[in-house]
Amino acid sequence: QVRLVESGGGLVQPGGSLRLSCAASGSIRSINRMDWYRQAPGKERELVASITNGGGTDYADSVKGRFTVSRDNAERTVYLQMNSLKPEDTAVYYCNADVYSITFQRLNVWGQGTLVTVSS
């Protein structure tokens, strides 16, 4: 079994910063791409940022220049540094990972989500 656990969400004022973490655990052989998604109330879930196991990154246009995704392969953890936060960044943020288990199963795993609220 493979789990992803996010942390770091909370309430922040506009212009502030937060750092989200997502730690993978379980019967993991390797982790390929790791993504951050978000879902705002009444909206569809959207891809925010991606990082490959080689460190290549990609971002949604709405967060380019403000968010930075990184990962620690040894710790099986992905981070999302969010700066210059705006009210429209308010959402539940989810971690997603493309994982190979120790039994060579390819799994797509989601975390439980962490709420980010940007408000004064």
Side-chain angles (χ1 to χ4, degrees):
Q1 187 176 1
V2 176
R3 292 182 65 208
L4 298 177
V5 178
E6 299 103 332
S7 60
L11 174 64
V12 63
Q13 293 187 340
S17 298
L18 280 176
R19 189 192 196 207
L20 305 182
S21 300
C22 171
S25 64
S27 304
I28 297 171
R29 177 172 296 275
S30 64
I31 303 176
N32 301 320
R33 179 172 138 169
M34 301 184 82
D35 301 328
W36 285 100
Y37 286 77
R38 67 185 180 188
Q39 187 165 19
K43 295 189 176 181
E44 293 187 355
R45 192 172 296 190
E46 63 172 348
L47 179 62
V48 174
S50 299
I51 185 165
T52 67
N53 56 2
T57 60
D58 196 15
Y59 298 92
D61 287 344
S62 58
V63 306
K64 280 181 182 175
R66 300 188 298 122
F67 290 11
T68 302
V69 61
S70 61
R71 64 191 280 175
D72 183 330
N73 288 330
E75 295 295 326
R76 295 176 173 173
T77 299
V78 63
Y79 303 97
L80 186 67
Q81 177 67 43
M82 305 185 294
N83 299 328
S84 303
L85 283 161
K86 305 175 182 180
E88 51 264 43
D89 294 317
T90 295
V92 178
Y93 284 72
Y94 297 91
C95 178
N96 178 267
D98 180 26
V99 176
Y100 279 101
S101 73
I102 59 173
T103 58
F104 296 97
Q105 284 183 288
R106 188 170 183 178
L107 306 172
N108 185 260
V109 185
W110 288 92
Q112 83 288 351
T114 186
L115 177 62
V116 172
T117 303
V118 184
S119 175
S120 54

